[in-house]
Every structure is written in structure tokens, then in C-alpha cells.
């Protein structure tokens, strides 16, 4: 009798174990974010309309383009990990394999090409100025002599103003654009400079409506590329193929309208959406 009871218990335990194993297999096959290849992608966390983290939610044009490209490369959205990529850290993040790709208002320049490779461009912006809404004396970069101008560490924007337009401008740099905007709000600085897309995103934030304005006089061409590890031609080719499909399908325009269209930003139709992409070297 005792042997029959022990045997029955053994069968029950084995059956339960079998059911648990089957349940795990089903979960792995169909569960969101479980199984499959994972990818870490660099974005900005503090740029409304482009790359913004609020709690566990990520929004912006850079985010939507990154998700589309990753999907075309076979990566489910649930398997994407977004990593903050401040301007000064982007090259090292790629070189050290901390991220696979970077979508972070990363302008393609010859100097940067010496350290990283680029896919794209996926958007062409222009450098501009953000000032308080009631400001009337800053009408462009040549009006910044003696003024305090803010940009971020690792960006060339503020230095470009000093070199080309206003020799006596006072440069102030922080690690994020949001800190520049806070300094502008408090009166600690007179203007913020970076791409018009970034500035428009800040001006359009609910908390900032009516407080700031974009001067509207661009003085550069900034071609946003997808940052890749130097020499990663295979990934570059996949990125460009995905971007072309995004543009041709109309999904690029939808993403732009959703994220930056509400800011009233007008971009040059000759370059946006992108018509051609740089060759992968």
C-alpha cells in the first residue's frame, strides 16, 4: 500500500514538472521581449520631440526611427534597451561596444568619421538660437557679442558661433541641453544654441509654452546620422536600407509630424525627408 502511494506521488510530481516545463516553453516563444536577439541603442534622454525619457517611456523622432530600423533588422521592440548617450560620450560608447547604434541628433562630420561610421542621414536640421519670448535684441548669431551663450559639452555649436559670428560671446557649457534651458529661464544665460529641431522641441513643451522662441535664422546644415562602430559596414548597409523603406512607405513623415510637426518647425523640403544616403565606407 505504502509503495503504491509513493509511486502515485512520484507520477504526480513528474506530471506537474512536465506541465511547468511546457508552460515555460510557451512563454519563451510568445512572451513580449523574451527570446530573440537583443540590442542596446543610444539616444538622448532630455530632448523633447527627439529623444526623451519620462519614467520608463521613451518618445521622439530619434526613438521612432531607431525602433523602425531595429525592427527591419529583426529586433523586436521589447528587446531594445535604450541607453543615454550624452554628446561627449557617443564615440566611446560605440568604441567600447556599450551600444550597437546611436540615434542622438548626431551630426555627420569629417572629424567624427575618423572615430565612428555613420548610416543615413535620416534628417537634416540647421543650427539656430533659443531666447526668451520677449527678447528683441538677439536676432541671429552676429548679435551675440558680449552675451552669454549656452550649449553642451561635446557639441561644436557654441564654438562655431565664437569662431564665425561673435568673437566676444561668453560660452557656457553644461552636460545636457535641459540645463541650458533652465539657465535661460532663470536669466543666467542669454541664449541657447544647437539645432533648430532640438530647440523647437524644448519651446513646444507644455511647461515652456510662451516662455521661449526660436530665432528662426539657421546658420549651418546639420545632417543627423546613425552612429556605428568604426568600420561596421554590414550594419550601415542594413540601416540605410531600413531608412529608405521608412521614407518610401510614408512612415518617416508620420514620425516627423507626430514628434516635431506640433512645434511648427519647417524643414527644407530639398533635404527632408532624406532623398539619398551616404555610402557605407
Amino acid at each position: 500500500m505504502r509503495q503504491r502511494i509513493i509511486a502515485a506521488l512520484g507520477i504526480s510530481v513528474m506530471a506537474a514538472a512536465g506541465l511547468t516545463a511546457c508552460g515555460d516553453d510557451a512563454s519563451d516563444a510568445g512572451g513580449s521581449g523574451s527570446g530573440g536577439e537583443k540590442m542596446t541603442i543610444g539616444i538622448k534622454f532630455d530632448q523633447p520631440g527627439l529623444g526623451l525619457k519620462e519614467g520608463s517611456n521613451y518618445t521622439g523622432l530619434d526613438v521612432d526611427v531607431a525602433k523602425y530600423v531595429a525592427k527591419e533588422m529583426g529586433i523586436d521592440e521589447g528587446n531594445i534597451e535604450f541607453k543615454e548617450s550624452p554628446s561627449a560620450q557617443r564615440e566611446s560608447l560605440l568604441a567600447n561596444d556599450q551600444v550597437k547604434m546611436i540615434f542622438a541628433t548626431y551630426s555627420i562630420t569629417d572629424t567624427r568619421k575618423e572615430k565612428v561610421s555613420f548610416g543615413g542621414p535620416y534628417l537634416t536640421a540647421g543650427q539656430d538660437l533659443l531666447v526668451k519670448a520677449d527678447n528683441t535684441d538677439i536676432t541671429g548669431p552676429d548679435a551675440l557679442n558680449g552675451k552669454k551663450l549656452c550649449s553642451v559639452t561635446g557639441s561644436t555649436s557654441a564654438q562655431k558661433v565664437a569662431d564665425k559670428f561673435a568673437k566676444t560671446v561668453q560660452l557656457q557649457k553644461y552636460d545636457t541641453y535641459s540645463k541650458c534651458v533652465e539657465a535661460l529661464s532663470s536669466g543666467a544665460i542669454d541664449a541657447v544654441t544647437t539645432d533648430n529641431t532640438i530647440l523647437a522641441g524644448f519651446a513646444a513643451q507644455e511647461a515652456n509654452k510662451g516662455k521661449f522662441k526660436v530665432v528662426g535664422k539657421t546658420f549651418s546644415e546639420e545632417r543627423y546620422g546613425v552612429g556605428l562602430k568604426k568600420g561596421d559596414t554590414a550594419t550601415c548597409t542594413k540601416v540605410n536600407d531600413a531608412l529608405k523603406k521608412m521614407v518610401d512607405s510614408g512612415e518617416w513623415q508620420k514620425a516627423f509630424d507626430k514628434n516635431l510637426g506640433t512645434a511648427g518647425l519647417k524643414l527644407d523640403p530639398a533635404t527632408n525627408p532624406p532623398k539619398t544616403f551616404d555610402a557605407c565606407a
Side-chain angles (χ1 to χ4, degrees):
M1 179 69 175
R2 181 179 298 173
Q3 290 176 334
R4 287 198 297 270
I5 293 173
I6 291 173
L9 287 171
I11 292 170
S12 298
V13 170
M14 290 173 66
L19 287 171
T20 302
C22 290
D24 288 345
D25 289 343
S27 175
D28 287 344
S32 175
S34 63
E37 184 181 352
K38 302 184 187 304
M39 182 180 289
T40 302
I41 297 177
I43 61 169
K44 294 291 182 66
F45 279 9
D46 70 328
Q47 292 181 355
L50 291 159
L52 183 66
K53 179 183 180 184
E54 294 178 299
S56 60
N57 192 37
Y58 301 92
T59 59
L61 179 66
D62 286 354
V63 174
D64 287 346
V65 176
K67 288 178 179 178
Y68 188 97
V69 170
K71 182 180 178 182
E72 289 300 307
M73 293 171 63
I75 308 297
D76 292 336
E77 183 175 330
N79 285 335
I80 297 173
E81 177 188 354
F82 287 114
K83 183 176 181 65
E84 186 173 20
S85 301
S87 296
Q89 298 177 22
R90 290 178 297 202
E91 285 82 11
S92 61
L93 288 170
L94 288 166
N96 297 328
D97 295 316
Q98 292 178 266
V99 296
K100 180 70 171 178
M101 305 186 290
I102 290 182
F103 296 75
T105 58
Y106 203 177
S107 296
I108 301 171
T109 67
D110 289 339
T111 300
R112 287 171 176 162
K113 283 181 179 180
E114 294 175 2
K115 297 181 179 180
V116 301
S117 293
F118 285 101
Y122 62 91
L123 184 141
T124 300
Q127 188 174 344
D128 211 321
L129 300 169
L130 185 73
V131 297
K132 285 189 174 180
D134 59 357
N135 183 286
T136 57
D137 60 335
I138 299 177
T139 55
D142 50 355
L144 287 169
N145 278 307
K147 304 291 187 181
K148 295 178 181 177
L149 176 67
C150 190
S151 193
V152 300
T153 305
S155 169
T156 60
S157 300
Q159 192 60 50
K160 184 183 296 182
V161 172
D163 291 342
K164 295 185 176 182
F165 300 101
K167 300 296 183 184
T168 63
V169 67
Q170 300 174 49
L171 303 184
Q172 173 66 59
K173 291 187 178 183
Y174 293 107
D175 57 346
T176 63
Y177 288 110
S178 56
K179 290 181 181 178
C180 283
V181 175
E182 290 171 9
L184 178 62
S185 180
S186 69
I189 55 104
D190 300 300
V192 182
T193 189
T194 186
D195 304 343
N196 55 352
T197 49
I198 299 171
L199 300 177
F202 279 110
Q205 274 191 303
E206 193 64 37
N208 293 334
K209 284 186 177 178
K211 293 174 63 175
F212 308 116
K213 66 180 179 181
V214 180
V215 171
K217 186 178 180 181
T218 58
F219 47 97
S220 75
E221 182 180 78
E222 308 297 334
R223 301 166 65 245
Y224 291 172
V226 182
L228 305 167
K229 190 171 184 177
K230 182 69 174 176
D232 190 355
T233 307
T235 302
C236 176
T237 301
K238 293 177 182 178
V239 167
N240 284 353
D241 288 345
L243 290 175
K244 185 178 187 307
K245 183 176 179 180
M246 187 177 190
V247 170
D248 292 346
S249 66
E251 290 302 311
W252 185 95
Q253 191 64 54
K254 289 179 183 178
F256 177 85
D257 291 344
K258 181 183 78 171
N259 291 292
L260 291 172
T262 56
L265 181 65
K266 304 297 183 185
L267 296 177
D268 186 351
T271 53
N272 294 288
K275 311 297 189 296
T276 60
F277 307 99
D278 293 1
C280 294

